[in-house]
Amino acid sequence: MVIKKKICMLGAYAVGKTSLVRRFVEDRFSERYVTTIGVKITKRELVLDGTHITLMLWDLHGDDAFQTVQMAYLRGSSGLLFVADGTRPETLDQVAVLKTRAVESLGAVPSLLLRNKSDITPATDADMSGFGEALPTSAKSGEGVESAFAELARRMQAG
Amino acid sequence: MSDEAKSEPGSETEETLERLRELLVGPEREDIHELRTELDARQLNVDELGHMLPAALHAADKQQVTQVLAPIVETSIEVSVKKNPKPLTEAIFPLIGPAIRRSIRHSLAELTESLNRTLEHSFSARGLSWRVEAWRSGKPFAEVVLSHSLKFRVEQVFLIHRETGLLLEHAAAPGVAAADPEMVSAMLTALGDFVADSFDATEAPALSQIEFGGRVLEVASGPRALIACEVRGVLNPALRTVFEEAVESLHTDFQEPLQDFAGDTEPFFAARPALEALLLEERPEKKQKGNGAARWVLSVLVVMLVVWAVQAAIASWSIGKRWDKLQAALVAEPGIVLIRGEANGTRLVLVGLLDPLAADPLELVSDAGFEVLDVEATWTSFMSLEPEIVRRRTLKSLALPDGVRASWDGLALKLEGQVPSSWTETVREKWQNGGFSGLEAFDTSKLVDPSWSAGPH
């Protein structure tokens, strides 16, 4: 079997989605596409339980004042990665909004929440409760990325 | 009604209750009973009807059934399309394409016809050889022109799942470096989404063709999958139809795998041959070897024909000119009257009147550049009264002796000199008897008899 799946990565502006995955994906398109057409696509191959899976990762432009995420790009996704900034808990709110909109467009698909910049200790007064079961990831150290992909793939196979 | 009161079997209470029930709800009871019976019966009927319906429809008069069902079906279709056009569109998709293409073909045939007529007046050597090809192969001339003006090569073909943008299968022409077709497919899909979103296009696929730097990406779409072909050069527009037919037949051949697609692309390996069949190319320089010799011979013949035709044209034109020149000369020449003259190719036929003292017509003929042997001339002798001929005839007739000079003033002759008077007497008598036709005046007063110088008799 040759399994290919489309997954989308969503998050607020400047949470570090792109740099997070850069090392772990096959890349051939310029960063420009994210700001111009709102999406850039990379590829991640992995083996899960003996099955070779190809993940086409659609890195969607972060939500900000100038551009909202195009829900059209979500079409056909088998899984979603939500990325929030571990040093800015307010980015969780944006993730929540994005998740609601995504579910509206797609229905319920397997998803994963990533708490990025885990290598930076958050400010002591920061409210980290919202992160809950989010997987800690770090673009700097590379921590958590590979397992994030594997976990999402697992959830997609199961779901 | 209290249940506790019922606990005594066969008691008065029960009887009383029963009677009470009878009094209060007696008639209603009957109704209830009837209703219940009817309901049961109805349910039975529905089940029975369900079983009987197909058979009944089969046995019924088709016309009547159709008439009754028609409005219902129409409304159903309307409702279905309003609710969600997708199922119906998908069902009809394999039919729509061919139907539309058929009607377009008709219109194009008409267009080609008129194009043909406009092109009919091109006379370049290439145009002529294409004309011959069109006549030989039976294709319309315009099509031949088009096919020779374009050259292209389909380098890559992508079969892409429309919804997800995932690559289902891919084919590349030999020698073409295909750079990560999976990512290209995904980005292409993203582009399509972007365009549709930015320009408010409807659900229908936004992109059908992307032109860039000497290449074209032709996209033929179906409801579930699309084919993107990267073409180098200028694609013969007729071949777009080939791509569209390919996407249609892929939808038919892979209907289930497409419907059930959940990420496994293995079922689509079988689509490879179909994709490879689309790696077309055309180069005008490639000519079939068999026709080389024939074409040579043909072109030589054509050249010879043209040369001969040109030469013949020039020849007949020059003959025309020479004939005009000859005619003018004959008319101008005194003593020749041309009654009939024809130039048939190089042969000349001349019929006319010829005075013996006129110039030889054959001289004039050869002066004009005609071969004397090609001339058939019939001359009837006559006596011309043209001034020049009259003069010549008169002088000939007079046979002027030495010592006599003649001078002319129109048709008046004046003789001077020395001659025996007997000669003068003779010619004067001849003149008076009309022996010099055409001569108008004869002055011999200046003729002197040499013997008179010796003194008068």
Side-chain angles (χ1 to χ4, degrees), chain B residues 329-361:
Chain B
L330 286 171
V331 164
E333 187 61 33
I336 301 180
V337 175
L338 188 65
I339 296 174
R340 186 162 57 87
E342 274 165 27
N344 298 327
T346 52
R347 279 191 73 245
L348 292 181
V349 176
L350 300 172
V351 174
L353 303 172
L354 183 65
D355 187 295
L357 292 174
D360 184 358

Side-chain angles (χ1 to χ4, degrees), chain A residues 1-6 26-29 33 36-37 39 41-43 54 56 58 70 72-73 75-76, chain B residues 162-167 179-180 182-184 186-187 189-191 193-194 197 262-266 269:
Chain A
M1 287 202 298
V2 182
I3 305 282
K4 299 186 191 182
K5 298 272 186 188
K6 170 181 173 179
E26 257 177 79
D27 195 356
R28 68 174 300 242
F29 293 114
Y33 293 111
T36 50
I37 64 171
V39 64
I41 296 164
T42 56
K43 186 167 78 168
T54 302
M56 300 307 297
W58 289 46
Q70 275 193 27
Y73 287 142
R75 206 182 60 214
Chain B
R162 207 170 129 189
E163 205 194 14
T164 59
L166 292 169
L167 180 71
D180 211 318
E182 284 175 322
M183 290 214 264
V184 169
M187 275 310 253
T189 309
L191 260 177
D193 291 339
F194 169 69
D197 208 64
D264 185 5
T265 58
E266 209 179 305
F269 292 171

Side-chain angles (χ1 to χ4, degrees), chain B residues 159 161 167-170 225 250 254-259 261-273 275:
Chain B
L159 177 62
H161 185 248
L167 180 71
L168 297 174
E169 189 47 89
H170 171 254
L250 280 166
F254 292 88
Q255 194 187 22
E256 269 187 48
L258 280 173
Q259 272 176 354
F261 182 66
D264 185 5
T265 58
E266 209 179 305
F268 298 96
F269 292 171
R272 198 96 197 280
L275 298 183

Side-chain angles (χ1 to χ4, degrees), chain A residues 21 85 145 156:
Chain A
V21 297
D85 184 342
V145 182
M156 292 194 299

Side-chain angles (χ1 to χ4, degrees), chain B residues 135-282:
Chain B
W135 166 72
R136 258 194 309 120
S137 64
K139 283 192 268 178
F141 179 60
E143 201 179 304
V144 172
V145 171
L146 278 175
S147 71
H148 278 280
S149 322
L150 305 166
K151 85 179 146 180
F152 66 89
R153 186 175 186 225
V154 179
E155 299 205 323
Q156 291 189 72
V157 180
F158 302 80
L159 177 62
I160 302 174
H161 185 248
R162 207 170 129 189
E163 205 194 14
T164 59
L166 292 169
L167 180 71
L168 297 174
E169 189 47 89
H170 171 254
V176 171
D180 211 318
E182 284 175 322
M183 290 214 264
V184 169
S185 316
M187 275 310 253
L188 183 63
T189 309
L191 260 177
D193 291 339
F194 169 69
V195 170
D197 208 64
S198 308
F199 298 102
D200 260 338
T202 50
E203 232 257 80
L207 293 175
S208 61
Q209 194 186 67
I210 305 178
E211 275 187 57
F212 58 100
R215 282 183 280 173
V216 181
L217 196 65
E218 293 275 348
V219 179
S221 303
R224 295 194 189 276
L226 55 95
I227 293 181
C229 302
E230 186 219 334
V231 184
R232 191 178 284 274
V234 182
L235 179 70
N236 186 330
L239 281 157
R240 240 209 101 76
T241 315
V242 175
F243 297 150
E244 282 175 9
E245 278 171 355
V247 89
E248 277 160 23
S249 63
L250 280 166
H251 273 78
T252 316
D253 297 338
F254 292 88
Q255 194 187 22
E256 269 187 48
L258 280 173
Q259 272 176 354
D260 302 335
F261 182 66
D264 185 5
T265 58
E266 209 179 305
F268 298 96
F269 292 171
R272 198 96 197 280
L275 298 183
E276 282 171 345
L278 297 174
L279 294 167
L280 306 158
E281 70 175 83
E282 180 174 289

Side-chain angles (χ1 to χ4, degrees), chain B residues 1-2 15-32:
Chain B
M1 300 284 144
S2 151
E15 280 186 41
T16 323
L17 283 171
E18 189 51 47
R19 240 184 293 137
L20 200 55
R21 248 181 243 140
E22 249 321 303
L23 286 169
L24 287 173
V25 296
E28 278 74 25
R29 252 181 167 179
E30 286 192 32
D31 288 339
I32 292 173

